[in-house]
Amino acid sequence: MTSQKESEPFRATDSNSTKISQSEAVSMETTDLDPAETIIENAIEKQPIKRFGCLYRIFKFGVIFLLILSPIVYWNIFRGKKLEISPETTLITEPLFQDKNVVDYAKYVETLYPPEMKTDENGARIVIREIGPYLDYPRIGDDIPDNPIPYWKREFDKNSPMFKRLYDQLGLDPNIPPRYQYQDHEASFYYQYLEKKYPGDENGELREKKQEHFQCLSHWRQKRTDEEQEFIKKWIAEYSPTLDVIADAVQRKIFLFPVNYKESDDQYKMFIGCSLQDVKTARSFARSFNFRALQRINEGNIKDAVSDVITTKRLGKQFMKTDGDYPKTFVEILIGVAMNGSGGAIPIGLNPDAQPTRDDWQRLLDEETTHPISFKIENSMRSEHLSCINLVSGLANFSELFDREKYKNRWELGDGIFDFSGKTMQQMLFGYFVESSGLDWNEIAKIINSEFAKSLNEPHSADDLIEEMNLLQKFDSLEGSLKVWSQMLTLKSRSRYLGKLFVCLFFPSYSMVTEAINRCYCSSQMQKLDYAMQLYKADHGTFPPAFTVDAKGNPLHSWRVLLLPYLGQQELFDQIKLDEPWDSEHNRAFHSADLAIYRCPSLEEAQKIIPGETSYSVIVGKNSLFDESGTGKDPLAMIKENPEKDVLDMILIAERSDPICWMKPDNEIRENNVKDYGINKSLNELNSRIYDRNEVRWNDKIPGTVASVHPGGANFALSNGASLFLSATIATSSSSEKLEEDEEFNETLYHYLFGEQLKFNFEQQ
């Protein structure tokens, strides 16, 4: 008999024995498996089934990874730094806005007002007191009542904060009403006359007819009917007293409107300089003075017309004036350039039956000499710099400035970097970062300050920056997309990138302003030469010859030498031997005379002209005002010989393509060159090569013809004392296809070059 202990199966796992059940023993007896393997298999079968085990582990480790990554993401994406007040970031440290830790830039600009701001030495103060603020007037086709009146008399709320602040800043009593009324001449003449002539609904045909008639009425060459003349005389009689008040105000030491901004208890004050309403009012004044001057010229009242020309130009110079501490914005500067140019374009000597006297011409020359353009780019850049930092401060401290619905179309750049309507991922990305404070505003401010400071020493640095940003904004390639997204990875790189974008918002106008000022200077230079020629004509009976000649007809001296006594250069003139050739041993000593009046400022700035060279020339030919006979011409005598020619509207002086010595007598522009090549014609175009206007160099332009470095055209001075800028798109006879397409342009060029009369397509009924 076998004992129970001997018959019981067992498995040795270690030093201890493990007992198994009878069923397990049976199972082991009926299989070929090793007992240890059977035990493991049965243990596995008894384990509970775990579903999604792999996903669970991925999720668990993913959460751990995200917890580790989240500080890194926050540190580089969501973390932001508030703007700190310091000279390196905010430029100024006081005053503060509503006792908050935010600089009040608008209040700071008010501290820069000159001491004359609240006195009658400020012409703008006189205008507000005598005429009222923010004048309004209709345009052709506007849905405005038939009898428009000044804005202040219609709906202006004298209890509004802006109205009270305006009068307070000028030291005026808002309860004293203005004494004079004013309407823009387009409102009282063009608008009312055309509304009367074409009554009825504003359908397409009536509107087109009204616009066409308006364009002809606006041109000084258009003859007006008796009815139209009555409208004009009525306007002049009614509003001349107002214009006289403005003319007096313009002559004062300054003409400065207060800084404009909107303010409430919870809204940041955004400094925007002179308000658009003030600019609109000033532009209206300039147009009205032009309108009255042209009427006075037609009536033969030249003396008063000269006063209107001087007033218009002085008004423009007041807006361009930047010699004080008060900063002027680029907008004000450009408006000043436009108003000064409109005054210079008035043809004061257009009426052959009532020519200006010598005193009239001298008065105009003295105005240009004693009241030159006073402009400092540093001052205007200061204004733009403050405006840019002011904007950054507002965005950094006041989130309501970036409300998507209210401000979605306010901050735009290029294709709309700040337009939050969802055009591009880049726009939405920056909108999110600004709203979520994922930016270092101090880094943004430092970038802006650095770029503005750099621009004063390197004027074209802004162009390089803009080109850099344009390249980064291209999403049409994988490389371009990677470049953009690489800027978003860290707080510093993203902030620096946005800082550059802010700079680009303000810098595109930098080149435009400097060129506009230079073009204005250039026009003023040429107009002074024009006035000097008119004085020469008053003394000698003719314009100066293109050059003087000796007994054998050989050229001696240029017309520029003959004008020296009229340009304040009598001493230099007395040293030149007029009976010797311009390049004689004695006269060569004066070839390098530094006469800035004979040089275009833009050309000089581009270092394409040196002292002693000139970029101004007359046009010689049998049909022009100058020939090679060595004698001058009398325009009035030319009119008697050919009454059909508009001699008093022909080109007197033009910009030339190749600078020459100012004394050189026999290298003027030929009229056939102008006729064949037009303005700014390049050798690239002539040779039919691929031509990019932005890449044309000065030396590429055809020598001996009309050209300038001014984009789009060139300056001219006319025989009636006016100056104008003609577009380079004017057609020439060498391009028959272009001539057919642009007959109007060709007609304009031929009018100024040869005196051919302009034609008007509108026939009054």
Side-chain angles (χ1 to χ4, degrees):
M1 184 174 182
T2 306
S3 65
Q4 184 177 357
K5 183 175 181 181
E6 292 177 350
S7 62
E8 188 178 79
F10 71 92
R11 177 178 57 191
T13 56
D14 48 25
S15 57
N16 298 320
S17 298
T18 302
K19 294 183 178 181
I20 59 176
S21 64
Q22 186 66 30
S23 61
E24 289 176 330
V26 173
S27 175
M28 292 174 61
E29 292 176 353
T30 58
T31 62
D32 296 331
L33 294 176
D34 183 80
E37 292 180 359
T38 303
I39 293 173
I40 293 173
E41 185 176 287
N42 291 334
I44 292 174
E45 290 178 355
K46 292 180 179 180
Q47 290 293 323
I49 299 176
K50 296 181 179 180
R51 298 185 178 184
F52 310 109
C54 182
L55 293 178
Y56 171 77
R57 285 192 293 273
I58 293 175
F59 174 77
K60 180 175 66 175
F61 288 111
V63 170
I64 295 173
F65 176 76
L66 290 177
L67 289 175
I68 297 173
L69 185 63
S70 58
I72 301 175
V73 173
Y74 169 78
W75 191 260
N76 289 287
I77 302 297
F78 300 102
R79 179 178 63 99
K81 289 185 178 181
K82 295 283 289 184
L83 183 65
E84 299 175 357
I85 297 179
S86 72
E88 292 75 25
T89 55
T90 57
L91 295 181
I92 57 176
T93 58
E94 57 182 17
L96 299 181
F97 175 68
Q98 295 183 355
D99 298 325
K100 299 179 180 178
N101 194 34
V102 181
V103 175
D104 190 337
Y105 290 92
K107 182 64 68 175
Y108 168 74
V109 172
E110 291 178 13
T111 66
L112 302 178
Y113 288 157
E116 299 87 1
M117 190 70 176
K118 292 186 177 183
T119 72
D120 278 358
E121 285 301 303
N122 180 11
R125 182 178 188 268
I126 297 175
V127 169
I128 297 297
R129 183 184 65 217
E130 302 295 339
I131 302 173
Y134 310 142
L135 306 173
D136 205 356
Y137 50 89
R139 292 290 186 181
I140 303 303
D142 287 352
D143 185 17
I144 293 180
D146 293 337
N147 296 308
I149 59 177
Y151 190 73
W152 63 268
K153 211 172 184 181
R154 286 193 290 153
E155 298 177 354
F156 203 94
D157 183 7
K158 294 184 178 181
N159 295 318
S160 69
M162 290 184 66
F163 187 95
K164 291 181 177 180
R165 183 168 56 248
L166 171 67
Y167 274 73
D168 178 66
Q169 290 176 337
L170 291 173
L172 297 174
D173 185 351
N175 297 314
I176 300 178
R179 295 188 298 171
Y180 296 89
Q181 292 190 12
Y182 170 79
Q183 284 184 1
D184 185 276
H185 71 279
E186 291 186 11
S188 57
F189 167 47
Y190 294 138
Y191 183 87
Q192 294 182 27
Y193 172 73
L194 293 176
E195 286 295 306
K196 178 182 177 182
K197 189 172 183 64
Y198 305 102
D201 296 334
E202 283 290 334
N203 57 50
E205 183 179 352
L206 276 180
R207 183 181 294 271
E208 183 178 345
K209 196 73 172 177
K210 189 183 297 185
Q211 290 284 359
E212 186 180 359
H213 197 163
F214 168 71
Q215 293 298 327
C216 287
L217 286 173
S218 302
H219 199 282
W220 47 263
R221 278 289 183 185
Q222 176 66 29
K223 294 182 179 180
R224 298 184 172 92
T225 64
D226 293 340
E227 185 182 13
E228 292 165 353
Q229 286 290 349
E230 287 301 317
F231 267 85
I232 295 174
K233 291 178 179 179
K234 179 182 177 181
W235 177 84
I236 290 178
E238 186 171 356
Y239 296 109
S240 274
T242 304
L243 293 182
D244 292 340
V245 170
I246 300 170
D248 174 67
V250 169
Q251 311 301 320
R252 301 305 173 101
K253 185 176 180 179
I254 63 173
F255 195 91
L256 193 63
F257 291 100
V259 63
N260 182 66
Y261 55 84
K262 291 184 178 180
E263 179 184 13
S264 64
D265 294 337
D266 57 352
Q267 186 176 2
Y268 184 51
K269 293 188 295 187
M270 300 296 292
F271 157 58
I272 59 174
C274 183
S275 76
L276 294 180
Q277 283 288 359
D278 296 327
V279 170
K280 182 178 179 180
T281 298
R283 288 293 302 272
S284 172
F285 292 159
R287 284 191 294 263
S288 291
F289 279 114
N290 284 8
F291 184 72
R292 187 172 72 168
L294 290 171
Q295 182 64 16
R296 285 174 164 177
I297 292 170
N298 290 331
E299 295 174 351
N301 184 2
I302 305 302
K303 183 178 180 180
D304 288 339
V306 169
S307 297
D308 287 339
V309 171
I310 291 175
T311 298
T312 307
K313 299 183 79 169
R314 186 77 66 85
L315 181 60
K317 291 173 184 176
Q318 289 279 20
F319 270 74
M320 287 187 282
K321 191 176 182 180
T322 55
D323 56 355
D325 294 330
Y326 180 76
K328 296 285 188 71
T329 63
F330 281 174
V331 171
E332 292 172 84
I333 301 301
L334 293 174
I335 291 298
V337 169
M339 290 189 291
N340 184 76
S342 67
I346 298 175
I348 201 69
L350 187 64
N351 189 343
D353 299 323
Q355 284 287 285
T357 65
R358 191 186 193 286
D359 289 342
D360 293 329
W361 292 119
Q362 187 66 57
R363 186 179 167 201
L364 288 167
L365 180 58
D366 290 343
E367 168 65 20
E368 291 298 305
T369 305
T370 59
H371 293 89
I373 298 169
S374 176
F375 174 76
K376 294 180 180 179
I377 187 62
E378 296 85 357
N379 183 293
S380 191
M381 285 292 291
R382 171 73 170 168
S383 176
E384 299 301 318
H385 195 173
L386 285 171
S387 298
C388 192
I389 293 296
N390 182 200
L391 172 61
V392 168
S393 179
L395 297 178
N397 293 286
F398 296 88
S399 60
E400 64 269 17
L401 291 179
F402 256 82
D403 179 76
R404 285 176 182 256
E405 294 300 322
K406 188 175 181 181
Y407 294 97
K408 68 178 182 179
N409 294 317
R410 175 163 293 189
W411 316 111
E412 295 187 0
L413 170 67
D415 291 332
I417 288 300
F418 291 99
D419 178 4
F420 299 134
S421 57
K423 291 182 181 179
T424 68
M425 178 63 71
Q426 190 181 19
Q427 296 165 11
M428 296 302 295
L429 187 63
F430 275 110
Y432 175 76
F433 281 133
V434 170
E435 291 181 345
S436 63
S437 300
L439 294 165
D440 183 350
W441 291 99
N442 300 287
E443 189 69 29
I444 292 173
K446 289 177 181 179
I447 286 291
I448 292 171
N449 297 338
S450 173
E451 291 295 336
F452 270 92
K454 182 180 178 181
S455 68
L456 292 176
N457 298 320
E458 302 176 29
H460 299 290
S461 64
D463 298 332
D464 298 334
L465 177 61
I466 293 170
E467 183 178 356
E468 173 191 342
M469 300 308 292
N470 286 336
L471 291 175
L472 284 174
Q473 293 180 56
K474 294 184 180 298
F475 284 87
D476 54 356
S477 66
L478 177 62
E479 181 182 1
S481 298
L482 291 176
K483 283 182 178 179
V484 173
W485 284 101
S486 66
Q487 305 293 320
M488 315 303 163
L489 296 179
T490 66
L491 177 67
K492 184 174 182 179
S493 65
R494 184 169 62 253
S495 301
R496 291 176 64 86
Y497 185 61
L498 187 58
K500 292 179 180 180
L501 281 180
F502 275 118
V503 174
C504 290
L505 277 170
F506 289 81
F507 263 93
S509 55
Y510 173 80
S511 299
M512 179 173 61
V513 168
T514 52
E515 170 52 31
I517 289 292
N518 284 340
R519 199 176 98 177
C520 190
Y521 270 121
C522 179
S523 177
S524 176
Q525 301 276 66
M526 297 180 72
Q527 202 152 35
K528 283 192 280 189
L529 298 179
D530 191 328
Y531 297 153
M533 280 195 174
Q534 303 289 353
L535 290 172
Y536 183 98
K537 180 169 71 70
D539 292 341
H540 298 86
T542 67
F543 285 131
F547 51 81
T548 60
V549 296
D550 60 16
K552 296 181 180 180
N554 298 316
L556 289 176
H557 290 281
S558 166
W559 57 273
R560 303 176 196 88
V561 174
L562 301 180
L563 293 186
L564 289 176
Y566 302 96
L567 300 172
Q569 298 290 336
Q570 184 67 49
E571 183 178 351
L572 176 59
F573 179 77
D574 292 338
Q575 296 179 61
I576 298 173
K577 292 184 177 181
L578 299 179
D579 57 345
E580 295 182 9
W582 71 284
D583 56 352
S584 68
E585 183 178 354
H586 173 80
N587 289 332
R588 278 199 296 269
F590 310 107
H591 284 187
S592 59
D594 189 8
L595 298 171
I597 194 171
Y598 288 130
R599 300 195 299 271
C600 170
S602 290
L603 199 60
E604 189 171 10
E605 186 177 280
Q607 297 181 344
K608 299 182 182 299
I609 192 171
I610 60 176
E613 289 185 332
T614 181
S615 57
Y616 302 137
S617 187
V618 297
I619 299 175
V620 296
K622 64 178 182 178
N623 297 308
S624 70
L625 294 173
F626 301 90
D627 56 29
E628 299 177 290
S629 65
T631 59
K633 292 184 179 182
D634 176 13
L636 296 181
M638 294 174 66
I639 293 175
K640 292 180 181 179
E641 294 175 3
N642 191 349
E644 298 299 320
K645 291 187 67 173
D646 286 337
V647 178
L648 296 178
D649 207 30
M650 292 174 62
I651 295 172
L652 195 64
I653 305 170
E655 293 191 82
R656 60 179 300 127
S657 58
D658 50 338
I660 59 172
C661 177
W662 74 278
M663 294 182 70
K664 189 174 179 60
D666 55 349
N667 195 10
E668 303 299 325
I669 298 174
R670 308 285 172 171
E671 67 177 31
N672 285 336
N673 281 1
V674 185
K675 178 181 177 182
D676 293 338
Y677 302 132
I679 302 170
N680 285 356
K681 191 74 171 183
S682 74
L683 292 169
N684 286 353
E685 288 178 297
L686 187 65
N687 295 331
S688 300
R689 294 201 297 264
I690 297 176
Y691 169 63
D692 183 346
R693 186 175 301 278
N694 295 325
E695 296 181 357
V696 172
R697 300 185 304 275
W698 178 257
N699 294 333
D700 287 335
K701 294 175 181 174
I702 297 173
T705 188
V706 175
S708 78
V709 292
H710 308 306
N715 279 320
F716 295 85
L718 305 182
S719 56
N720 53 44
S723 64
L724 79 161
F725 184 84
L726 283 181
S727 171
T729 59
I730 290 180
T732 63
S733 60
S734 62
S735 174
S736 58
E737 182 177 350
K738 183 73 173 176
L739 174 63
E740 183 177 350
E741 292 177 356
D742 296 328
E743 183 177 351
E744 181 180 350
F745 288 139
N746 182 264
E747 179 184 291
T748 304
L749 176 62
Y750 276 48
H751 167 76
Y752 292 116
L753 183 60
F754 301 127
E756 294 186 4
Q757 292 190 357
L758 291 172
K759 300 175 183 178
F760 292 90
N761 297 324
F762 182 82
E763 296 181 1
Q764 298 188 35
Q765 299 176 354

